[in-house]
């Protein structure tokens, strides 16, 4: 079991077409009702790099945007409801405020056409894989996209597709 | 049958339009009838057409289908009844197309001879206006007007068409005329151009126009038989059975010469010419040859079944001048059509003025060149193929150009230059044409006539070329007949190689070429070695930051094969010495620059070293230029080359090796003037103690005067030099001096010359010196001939009384230009009365400040720190004050009227050794860094050696050996003005080189000024953010400066290897104060830098002056060794940096060897952070905002969660590494929290100093000694961290400060990638660390990998990407 969840805390780098084709299986964990796997390896968090191609804002609720990395478009959801969400009620109010400010800052950064690096949890909405965003960094160096592809390839061969004995 | 719709155009319609046009619509709607020519394939687009013309437009088409109807005729020779003067082209050698309205020159693809004289319908054509007036029609497709057009009414026998060569005659009567009874049948091999020769016919002198052709005939019975129509038919029909072996010449003369354009197209075909007569033709004065000549009855017979005959050509071309055929697309036509570029670097030379290439020889056309000489010129600078056209060569256009490109018409008049070019072998011709083209660009101030010459006057280009061309490349010309008939004997095909012909290039093209060369070299190297063996291949680290490392390449002129020509000027913008021409300029380093250099002279630099330096990542940004070495195209064309790369390109040469080409039109001031200025008399002796760098004017700074001046500090020595002027103008032993140059070419001539000279001097001086000091009471007496006779000189000196040490006699050699030296005698006389012979005399040195005005800036270049100079004593000049007392500390204005000569001295006792320490300026014995130099196998260019005999001083004094002690004792005291180089403290080892050890309590930098010499290991310019990030306070004063000099002053950090120790020199440096050649690998002396008392750390000051001693290309590993030793500043760094491999965090877990690894990862969250006030900082001193920069924040302990995509891990770090991971040196993001009131307070501060995060941390820590931040929230979700801040002091942390701290931590998690070198930590070590730093606070050690950060720096996506590609490809 531990072996299966070895990547639980890791933001894996997967190309969009891999992310979108992850196998979804119901799980018993209350926090993650659905498990995502590829060739027997489970993934929980992901990082993607690509161009923002759509943006849909529900003020004070969420920002839904898509990241196109050249292999596919992955939907990302950035929550903006921290101040009202019961999930944060156990955190200190200043921290929650800070987190909310961070989120709105990310929302402002997400503009159509920019290349962004997005980290978050792999989730599913109506059967489609999406990323629930934890942070967004806008990249200015055009080389990072290529590097991301290479890293995805490298990690797949060195890490994800390798069954540890 | 024909489409009735096409509009009928007339020639005059086209002429009226007078613009290029194409009508090829019919090509797309195939008409029935005879396919005249195969439908042209889509014409090959000329490759890189953009090179020749920035906008290569295709010919504009006519919108509607059109046709033209007219008659195709042969050229009309000198016909006075020419109906339209417009159609006359200079060659008078083109086919004509005429309709009722006008006539026009034309060319026809795949000419069918039957259309001559017939009315045709032109279906597809191009109309091209010629550049110098006139027009030209290119007929692509046509048809006979009458459908029964094949009935020619001429002698038509079965498949043979017969054409009378003279119109109006009938060829059927050939048998009747006994004179015109000869007939030849064979393969047409070549045809000569049309020429006019004098002839004597029937006793009347006249001129005859005609051309020669060679036919290879068959000697079989049938062909040799007397002609009859039947035989003719048979021989044509059965040509397959013939054996064509015997060459015969046929002279088409008179009216038949108009057939030239038609016959040209028949080369390689089987032809029969009947009605010929045999004639003796004089081809030279005495040589005659029997050949066939056309008569009025002559006729041409062509078989329709005729197959092509393979020309007798060699199949394999060696490029030694063999004749052959070439087919290619024209890429460029240059030099008025004399040079045609085909395909890729195939150069067709059409330099002979008799050649008449077709008008359709335009860029984009496909041409076939026959009987052309293939020459491989073997130039060192370029591989290429030259096609040399001679009188046998013919050119046929196979496909017209679809481009709107004009056609030059080669001028038929022959200038002197033209004759000169024609007299050369082909490779030399191309070289001369390149020189001409280059000169026209280089000397744009000159007229064309000055460069090219005229009919009777030699131009600059010819003058220059004849200086360089060796005699074998010239060949005598013999006239057309001789060269055609005795082709091989005339040397046309035998190419003499002149591979030492170097290319002359415009400087702008040269720089572009250099850049391309540099990039190619790097690419080649990268192909060989795995570019990213180490992830840090091209990066240097300095305090955790990485900077691109520049790569320097030194290339010799031999390898370049290029000559540089230009004048020497000081750049007004950079203040640097440059070689300049009209196209551009290149920085130069001249170690032996005399003051006498002339800005008007043109110097030819043949032997030089080219240094190119830049950062390798530039390759990616520039892309590779053409994969060509030198582009001749760029020389023939004037392409303005935009240069925006940051490569440093400069050349190094000795002026004594450069030839001052006293080229006509550029008056070169005779160097005699300088000799004359140096006449006998008294001279002040100066020693330069410092040169001040260029002052940067501040706004509103009244201290700096408006007019720009440069300042040099010097001391006036209490000695005056008296030169015996009479000897000066006499040149001695010039032959002797020049002799060694010949016998040791390439060696240091100066050394040999001086050695030789010194031998003589040595003997002579030794002979005289029983006593040492001479009181020459009458120094000028009877010295007139001393320079001619050493013996006499000796006698004179011997007669002096030795009574005092105030005067020292010496032998003086004055260096002249072109190795002329003058030997004279003189005396050194002490101006101070306090001198004594015991060596204890310390005459006071008088310091002066020399102010050099802009018009004399070259004197600033000439003066060197530590150098001795003499200047004429005028009795009341600026260097003396009236009366006998001199004053110190005066400012002397150096204007153009004050001349200075450099001075070196030696003692008679020692034979000169170029590295001897006999020449006392700097005692360099304390510097053993020359060892490093000898280790370095790379080329080493000496730029500045103080006063060594090999550098060429203008005046060289030889003192008798015995005065050495006295002179040295007296001069010793004078060196106080010089700041001597020091050696860094020996006890310091590399390991203890720690930045943090610098004491930072001072407000303004204090310390001693000193000079330091060593090899530059690395040199970084820091951008503003990194200046801000500069933690140590040594840049404190600097930042103040930086603010004032935004843009001009750059903050730099220089690592210098001095005596095997790395020292760091930081501070602000004016861009203009960075000398040419400064960079890694250079040996440099830093004059007047501030010793901060820290360990091996120095500071640049506004008066710091950097002198380059030598330049070398440093090998990478050598460089790394020292850089890495600097980097190894952390105690935890056990492993050698080289052994650190890149990997994944998940791999670290599996590793057992505990070796550190390099990861590319991001910060996900922060576990714990401890911030402390640094101990031993007296912050009472720190009052102002600026001073708060001093790093009194310490991070003893911090835990980060890092994630590289393979796994996440706890990474523990302290100090600088923790600060880097927290992004403390970066700016506080301004736009991040516009809506939140609490941060805008800080974020809106524009001041650079206040916008870094460290500033805010310091502000907060000032109130609280120790701050701890713990994350109680998620460790793996950056946005869900729940941070708790606690302080150790009693002061409560304000809400805004707490928020700011939290924000800073969040900000650290939203950053980009880091390159982290870390090693595995076991959990007990982590617990121990936690106990140490958190005093009771228990750290929870998770079941996750722990590691310790040893090095943190920014990652470079490009480098990392390369590394990954290499890695992926390996699998």
């Amino acid at each position: 079991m531990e072996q299966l969840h070895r990547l639980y805390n890791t933001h894996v780098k997967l190309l969009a077409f891999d992310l979108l084709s992850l196998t979804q299986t119901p799980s018993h964990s209350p926090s993650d009702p659905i498990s995502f796997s590829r060739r027997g390896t489970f993934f929980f968090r992901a990082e993607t790099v690509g161009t923002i191609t759509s943006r849909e804002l529900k003020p004070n609720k969420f920002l839904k945007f898509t990241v196109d990395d050249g292999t596919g478009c992955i939907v990302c959801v950035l929550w903006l409801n921290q101040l009202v969400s019961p999930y944060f009620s156990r955190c200190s109010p200043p921290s929650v405020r800070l987190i909310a400010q961070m989120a709105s800052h990310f929302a402002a950064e997400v503009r159509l056409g920019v290349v962004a690096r997005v980290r978050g949890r792999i989730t599913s909405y109506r059967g489609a894989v999406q990323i629930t965003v934890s942070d967004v960094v806008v990249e200015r160096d055009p080389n990072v996209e290529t590097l991301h592809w290479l890293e995805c390839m490298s990690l797949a061969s060195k890490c994800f597709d390798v069954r540890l004995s | 049958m024909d489409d009735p719709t096409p509009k009928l155009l007339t020639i005059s319609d086209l002429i009226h339009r007078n613009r290029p046009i194409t009508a090829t619509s019919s090509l797309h709607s195939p008409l029935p009838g005879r396919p005249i020519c195969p439908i042209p394939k889509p014409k090959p687009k000329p490759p890189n057409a953009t090179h020749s013309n920035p906008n290569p437009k295709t010919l504009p088409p006519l919108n509607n289908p059109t046709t033209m109807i007219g008659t195709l005729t042969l050229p009309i020779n000198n016909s006075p009844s020419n109906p339209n003067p417009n159609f006359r082209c200079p060659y008078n050698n083109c086919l004509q197309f005429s309709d009722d309205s006008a006539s026009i020159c034309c060319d026809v693809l795949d000419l069918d001879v039957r259309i001559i004289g017939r009315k045709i319908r032109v279906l597809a054509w191009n109309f091209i206006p010629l550049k110098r007036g006139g027009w030209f029609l290119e007929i692509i497709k046509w048809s006979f007007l009458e459908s029964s057009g094949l009935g020619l009414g001429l002698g038509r026998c079965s498949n043979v068409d017969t054409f009378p060569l003279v119109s109006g005659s009938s060829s059927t009567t050939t048998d009747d005329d006994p004179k015109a009874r000869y007939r030849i049948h064979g393969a047409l091999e070549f045809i000569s151009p049309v020429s006019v020769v004098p002839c004597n016919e029937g006793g009347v002198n006249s001129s005859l126009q005609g051309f020669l052709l060679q036919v290879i005939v068959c000697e079989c019975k049938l062909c040799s038989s007397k002609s009859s129509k039947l035989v003719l038919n048979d021989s044509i029909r059965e040509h397959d059975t013939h054996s064509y072996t015997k060459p015969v010449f046929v002279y088409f003369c008179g009216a038949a010469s108009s057939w030239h354009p038609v016959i040209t197209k028949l080369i390689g075909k089987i032809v029969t010419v009947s009605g010929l007569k045999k004639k003796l033709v004089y081809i030279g004065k005495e040589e005659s040859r029997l050949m066939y000549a056309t008569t009025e009855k002559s006729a041409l017979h062509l078989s329709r079944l005729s197959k092509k005959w393979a020309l007798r050509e060699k199949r394999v071309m060696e490029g030694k001048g063999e004749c052959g055929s070439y087919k290619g697309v024209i890429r460029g036509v240059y030099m008025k059509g004399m040079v045609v570029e085909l395909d890729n670097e195939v150069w067709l030379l059409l330099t002979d003025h008799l050649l008449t290439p077709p008008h359709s020889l335009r860029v984009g056309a496909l041409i076939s060149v026959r009987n052309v000489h293939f020459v491989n010129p073997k130039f060192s600078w370029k591989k290429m193929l030259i096609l040399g056209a001679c009188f046998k060569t013919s050119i046929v256009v196979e496909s017209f150009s679809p481009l709107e490109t004009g056609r030059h018409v080669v001028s038929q008049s022959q200038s002197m230059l033209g004759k000169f070019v024609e007299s050369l072998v082909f490779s030399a011709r191309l070289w001369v044409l390149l020189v001409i083209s280059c000169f026209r660009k280089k000397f744009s101030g000159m007229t064309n006539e000055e460069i090219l010459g005229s009919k009777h006057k030699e131009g600059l280009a010819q003058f220059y070329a004849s200086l360089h061309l060796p005699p074998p490349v010239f060949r005598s010309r013999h006239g057309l007949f001789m060269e055609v008939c005795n082709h091989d004997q005339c040397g046309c095909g035998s190419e003499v190689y002149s591979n030492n012909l170097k290319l002359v290039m415009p400087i702008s093209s040269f720089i572009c070429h250099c850049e391309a060369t540099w990039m190619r070299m790097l690419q080649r190297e990268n192909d060989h070695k795995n570019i990213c063996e180490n992830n840090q291949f091209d990066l240097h680290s300095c305090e955790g930051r990485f900077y691109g490392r520049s790569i320097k390449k030194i290339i010799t002129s031999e390898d370049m094969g290029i000559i540089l020509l230009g004048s020497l000027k000081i750049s007004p913008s950079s203040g640097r010495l440059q070689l300049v021409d009209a196209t551009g300029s290149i920085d130069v380093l001249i170690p032996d620059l005399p003051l006498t250099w002339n800005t008007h002279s043109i110097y030819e630099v043949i032997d030089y070293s080219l240094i190119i330096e830049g950062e390798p990542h530039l390759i990616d940004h520039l892309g590779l230029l053409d994969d060509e070495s030198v582009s001749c195209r760029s020389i023939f064309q004037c392409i303005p080359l935009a240069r925006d790369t940051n490569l440093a390109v400069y050349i190094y040469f000795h002026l004594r090796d450069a030839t001052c080409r006293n080229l006509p039109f550029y008056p070169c001031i005779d160097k005699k003037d300088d000799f004359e200025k140096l006449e006998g008399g008294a001279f002040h002796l100066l020693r330069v103690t410092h040169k001040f760098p260029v002052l940067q004017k501040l706004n509103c700074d009244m201290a700096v005067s408006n007019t720009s001046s440069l300042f040099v500090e010097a001391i006036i020595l209490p000695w005056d030099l008296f030169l015996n002027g009479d000897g000066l103008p006499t040149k001695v032993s010039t032959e002797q001096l020049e002799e060694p140059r010949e016998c040791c070419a390439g060696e240091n001539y100066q050394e040999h010359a001086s050695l030789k000279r010194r031998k003589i001097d040595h003997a002579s001086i030794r002979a005289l010196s029983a006593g040492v000091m001479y009181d020459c009471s009458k120094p000028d007496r009877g010295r007139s001939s001393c320079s001619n006779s050493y013996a006499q000189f000796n006698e004179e000196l011997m007669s002096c009384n030795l009574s005092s040490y105030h005067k020292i006699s010496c032998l003086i050699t004055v260096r002249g230009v072109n190795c002329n030296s003058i030997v004279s005698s003189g005396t050194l006389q002490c101006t101070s009365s306090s001198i004594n012979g015991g060596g204890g005399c310390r005459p006071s040195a008088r310091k002066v400040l020399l102010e050099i005005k802009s018009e004399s800036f070259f004197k600033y270049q000439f003066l060197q720190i530590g150098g001795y100079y003499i200047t004429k004593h005028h009795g009341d000049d600026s260097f003396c004050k009236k009366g006998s007392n001199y004053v110190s500390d005066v400012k002397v204005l150096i204007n153009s009227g004050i001349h200075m000569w450099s001075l070196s001295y030696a003692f008679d006792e020692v034979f000169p050794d170029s590295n001897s320490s006999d020449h006392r300026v700097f005692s360099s014995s304390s510097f053993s860094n020359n060892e490093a130099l000898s280790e370095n196998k790379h080329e080493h260019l000496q730029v500045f050696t103080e006063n060594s005999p090999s550098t060429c001083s203008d005046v060289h004094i030889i003192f008798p050996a015995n005065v050495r002690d006295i002179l040295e004792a007296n001069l010793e005291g004078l060196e106080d003005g010089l700041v001597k180089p020091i050696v860094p403290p020996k006890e310091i080892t590399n390991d203890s080189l720690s930045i943090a050890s610098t004491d930072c309590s001072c407000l303004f930098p204090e310390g001693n000024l000193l000079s330091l010499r060593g090899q530059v290991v690395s040199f970084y310019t820091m951008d503003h953010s990194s200046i801000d990030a500069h933690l140590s306070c040594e840049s404190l004063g600097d930042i103040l400066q930086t603010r004032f000099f935004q843009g001009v002053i750059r903050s730099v950090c220089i690592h210098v290897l001095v005596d095997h120790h790395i020292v760091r020199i930081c501070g602000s440096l004016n861009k203009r104060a960075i000398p040419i050649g400064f960079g890694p690998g250079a040996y440099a002396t830093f004059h007047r830098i501030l010793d901060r008392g820290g360990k091996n750390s120095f500071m640049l000051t506004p008066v710091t002056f950097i002198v380059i001693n030598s330049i070398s290309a440093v090998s990478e590993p050598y460089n790394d060794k020292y850089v890495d030793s600097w980097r190894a500043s952390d105690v935890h760094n056990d492993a050698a940096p080289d052994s650190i491999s890149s990997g994944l965090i998940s791999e670290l877990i599996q590793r057992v060897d505990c070796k550190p690894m390099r990861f590319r990862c991001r910060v996900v969250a922060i576990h714990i952070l401890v911030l402390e006030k640094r101990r031993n900082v007296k912050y009472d001193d720190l009052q102002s905002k600026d001073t708060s920069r001093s790093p009194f924040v310490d991070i003893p302990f911090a835990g980060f969660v890092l994630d590289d995509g393979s796994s996440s891990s706890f990474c523990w770090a302290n100090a600088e590494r923790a600060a880097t991971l927290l992004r403390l040196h970066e700016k506080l993001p301004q736009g991040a929290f516009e809506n939140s009131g609490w941060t805008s307070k800080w974020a809106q501060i524009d001041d650079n100093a206040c916008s870094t995060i460290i500033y805010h941390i310091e502000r907060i820590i000032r109130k609280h000694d120790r701050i701890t931040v713990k994350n109680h929230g998620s460790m793996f979700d950056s946005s869900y961290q729940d941070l708790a801040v606690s302080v150790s002091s009693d002061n409560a942390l304000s809400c805004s400060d707490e928020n700011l701290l939290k924000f800073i931590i969040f900000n650290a998690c939203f950053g980009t990638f880091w390159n982290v070198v870390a090693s595995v930590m076991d959990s007990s070590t982590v617990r121990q660390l936690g106990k140490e730093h958190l005093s009771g606070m228990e750290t929870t050690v998770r079941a996750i990998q722990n590691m310790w950060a040893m090095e943190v720096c920014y990652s470079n996506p490009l480098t990392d990407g390369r590394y990954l590609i290499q890695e992926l490809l390996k699998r």
Side-chain angles (χ1 to χ4, degrees), chain B residues 534-536 539 544 546 1142-1143 1157-1162 1202 1217 1220-1221 1312-1318 1349-1357 1359-1360 1363:
Chain B
N534 185 336
N535 217 7
Q536 310 304 325
L539 295 175
F546 274 74
S1142 297
M1157 282 177 86
R1158 191 185 303 278
F1159 307 107
R1160 214 182 92 83
C1161 49
R1162 288 178 70 192
L1202 300 183
R1217 289 152 299 280
T1220 310
L1221 284 171
T1312 181
F1313 278 88
W1314 298 105
N1315 261 315
V1316 177
V1317 174
M1350 294 153 68
E1351 193 183 312
V1352 178
C1353 53
Y1354 287 101
S1355 80
N1356 180 338
T1359 322
D1360 292 344
Y1363 173 73

Side-chain angles (χ1 to χ4, degrees), chain B residues 711-922:
Chain B
F711 293 91
V712 172
E713 188 190 271
I715 47 173
I716 305 174
L717 301 180
W719 300 85
D720 279 354
L721 181 73
F722 289 93
L723 268 183
N724 296 326
D726 296 340
L728 278 176
T730 320
K731 293 179 182 177
V732 285
S733 54
T734 314
E735 296 80 9
Q736 280 179 329
L737 295 172
E738 284 181 2
E739 183 191 358
R741 182 176 208 179
E742 283 151 23
C743 68
C744 56
E747 293 259 31
N748 188 339
Y749 160 66
Q750 205 69 25
E751 238 174 81
H752 284 263
S754 71
L755 188 74
K756 188 143 192 162
R757 203 164 56 228
R758 214 71 68 78
K759 278 178 181 164
I760 306 163
D761 299 351
H762 190 70
S764 58
I765 292 192
R766 181 146 301 169
L768 66 85
S769 48
V772 185
M773 290 300 167
Y774 306 96
D775 183 8
C776 301
S777 51
K778 291 175 185 169
D780 289 332
R781 179 179 55 87
R783 283 287 161 76
S784 60
S785 58
C786 71
S787 57
N788 281 330
S789 159
Y790 290 104
Q792 193 180 343
F793 173 60
N794 294 343
E795 282 167 27
E796 292 278 346
L797 289 175
M798 286 291 277
S799 66
C800 296
N801 292 321
L802 314 174
S803 60
S804 116
Y805 292 105
H806 284 254
K807 290 182 181 175
I808 304 172
S809 288
C810 50
L811 198 66
I812 292 160
T813 312
V814 180
R815 177 176 73 123
V817 190
N818 299 332
C819 304
N820 294 323
S821 288
I822 293 168
V823 178
S824 177
S825 64
T827 16
L828 198 64
Q829 188 170 350
C830 187
T831 54
S832 166
S833 54
S834 62
I835 193 166
N836 63 51
C841 164
R842 295 282 168 91
S844 58
R846 290 166 295 114
K847 200 183 274 184
V848 286
L849 197 62
L850 311 178
E851 182 178 357
I852 300 171
K853 289 287 179 192
S854 56
E855 71 268 14
S856 304
F857 272 178
F858 61 94
K859 286 183 179 157
Y860 178 82
Q861 291 279 338
F862 164 71
L863 296 171
Q864 303 292 346
I865 296 176
Y868 288 97
Y869 299 90
I870 55 170
T871 182
K872 184 87 179 150
H873 193 324
H874 287 300
D876 192 20
D877 58 65
S878 325
F879 291 100
C880 9
K881 198 165 177 193
K882 277 176 190 161
S884 58
N885 291 327
Y886 291 92
V887 285
S888 194
D889 298 331
V890 291
K891 193 167 85 173
V892 177
L893 191 68
I894 302 291
N895 52 30
S896 50
I898 295 181
H899 292 275
M900 288 174 147
W901 294 267
S902 62
L903 184 82
S904 60
Y905 68 89
F907 295 96
D908 174 44
E909 61 191 356
V910 187
F911 268 94
D913 169 4
S914 59
N915 292 322
S916 85
S917 56
D918 187 29
H919 305 272
R920 308 272 151 188
V921 178
F922 280 121

